[in-house]
Amino acid sequence: RPRVLSGIQPTADSFHFGNYLGALRQWVDLQEDHQPFFFIADLHAITVEQDPKVLRDRCLRAAAQLLAMGIDPERSAIFIQSQVPAHAQLGWVLQCLTGFGEARRMTQFKDKSAKGGEGSASVGLFTYPVLQAADILLYRPHYVPVGEDQRQHLELTRDLAQRFNHRYKKTFRLPEPYILKATAKIADLQDPTAKMSKSASSPAGIVEMLDEPRASAKKIRSAVTDSDTVIRFDPEEKPGVSNLLTIYAALTGRSVEALEEDYSGRGYGDLKKELAEVVVDFVTPFRERTLALLEDRTHLTEVLRRGADLANEVAEATLRDVYERVGFVTAG
Ligand code: AQP
């Protein structure tokens, strides 16, 4: 079975609809006929300052949400990145293969460091995409299910894999991004030309999976649309309406065309009201399952430990090959 790997940062109390529809939903589906490794990226989280207590809590909240959405620890290795030391170890080796200018070209770093000025960004934030390459390459996956915003990082990962393979010996598989076009970029509800993002969206623009369902419904009903009245999928001309149709289709499994037909001759109010109901029906049981899982933290840490055991086995084997090829003297 082809292997897949992906990760998510524990940097909010809740995942949002962009994370879920852009990436996490695919994680669940891919379990069927792939061998998945999914991790909670706490090493990435500390590229910006975190409160230790909050970070620890959010890691467990992330695990509970992944289980609640259908990640099955019997089929997927689900683990916390810092419990697999090979990530940081391979990260260093790959940093030594990365050009400074190459790292500088990463648009996410440019965007994120632009906020406080480059001087205030950590070196960790700068080298983040290289650690991400290590996260991926350790598991030699075939596919990496992510949203569109990660495409450039995936390209860097492939470049580094190729460089290592060429300089030393074929060691890494070149992974393919697995990006579902329809939901690759879920937009902010208040600014539908921007992506829904925890650091950039206003509270009204972002739907959090663990929000009070009624609050999420209200956000959908207040989503920005346009001054036209026709319900039509047209991301260029009608980004707000198109985003609502995308979310609607993804949550119900219906096609955008079928929705356009259903809503022909009807107003934006109807679309928003009915999508708000779909959202409530979806998030209510998800939230209940997550909160129930959070009642038993011992169980969560046990699941994560078992996942880390599996991950360590695979990651250590790759790291051994890497260290040997680089020329390190192996211990005994
Ligand atoms: N708006 C989005 N549409 C589609 N996919 C998205 N992803 C994030 N936002 C969208 C995908 O979610 C996965 C987890 O990404 P992450 O852990 O890196 O989360 P993030 O990028 O920190 O999420 P944000 O909200 O985008 O954070 P900030 O604002 O800090 O950058 C990834 O596969 C990502 O593509």
Side-chain angles (χ1 to χ4, degrees), residues 9 16 18-19 112 146-147 149 184 186 195-199:
Q9 293 194 70
H16 58 69
N19 302 139
K112 291 195 173 174
V146 284
D149 56 349
I186 300 296
K195 77 162 189 171
M196 187 180 284
S197 144
K198 67 176 163 288
S199 53

Side-chain angles (χ1 to χ4, degrees), residues 276-318:
E277 284 163 15
V278 168
V279 167
V280 168
D281 288 348
F282 170 71
V283 293
T284 304
F286 169 78
R287 188 166 179 268
E288 281 164 10
R289 280 197 300 274
T290 305
L291 297 179
L293 282 156
L294 280 168
E295 293 291 309
D296 188 353
R297 300 205 170 210
T298 316
H299 171 68
L300 290 175
T301 41
E302 178 54 23
V303 166
L304 292 166
R305 195 195 54 76
R306 268 190 283 134
D309 287 346
L310 278 171
N312 269 309
E313 228 172 88
V314 175
E316 279 169 16
T318 309

Side-chain angles (χ1 to χ4, degrees), residues 144-183:
V144 183
V146 284
E148 182 61 39
D149 56 349
Q150 293 297 329
R151 191 183 286 280
Q152 193 189 29
H153 291 168
L154 248 298
E155 272 159 26
L156 175 71
T157 302
R158 289 169 58 90
D159 287 347
L160 292 173
Q162 226 157 358
R163 198 169 302 157
F164 188 98
N165 287 348
H166 181 74
R167 185 172 302 183
Y168 301 101
K169 181 180 170 192
K170 188 165 182 334
T171 305
F172 298 122
R173 170 177 279 126
L174 265 54
E176 299 284 341
Y178 182 93
I179 300 177
L180 287 196
K181 203 163 161 269
T183 48

Side-chain angles (χ1 to χ4, degrees), residues 23-99:
L24 302 174
R25 198 169 49 115
Q26 281 73 267
W27 295 15
V28 177
D29 295 343
L30 285 165
Q31 294 181 113
E32 291 303 322
D33 41 15
H34 291 74
Q35 191 194 347
F37 287 83
F38 297 132
F39 69 95
I40 298 163
D42 55 350
L43 297 182
H44 287 282
I46 63 162
T47 53
V48 295
E49 194 177 341
Q50 302 290 339
D51 175 324
K53 223 168 130 246
V54 174
L55 177 62
R56 198 167 292 124
D57 182 60
R58 285 176 170 174
C59 279
L60 292 185
R61 290 177 80 87
Q65 289 176 84
L66 292 175
L67 297 182
M69 67 183 56
I71 299 297
D72 172 6
E74 298 301 322
R75 289 188 288 175
S76 300
I78 155 174
F79 62 97
I80 296 190
Q81 187 185 22
S82 62
Q83 292 184 6
V84 184
H87 288 243
Q89 292 168 306
L90 179 61
W92 175 255
V93 175
L94 295 181
Q95 279 184 53
C96 298
L97 282 185
T98 310

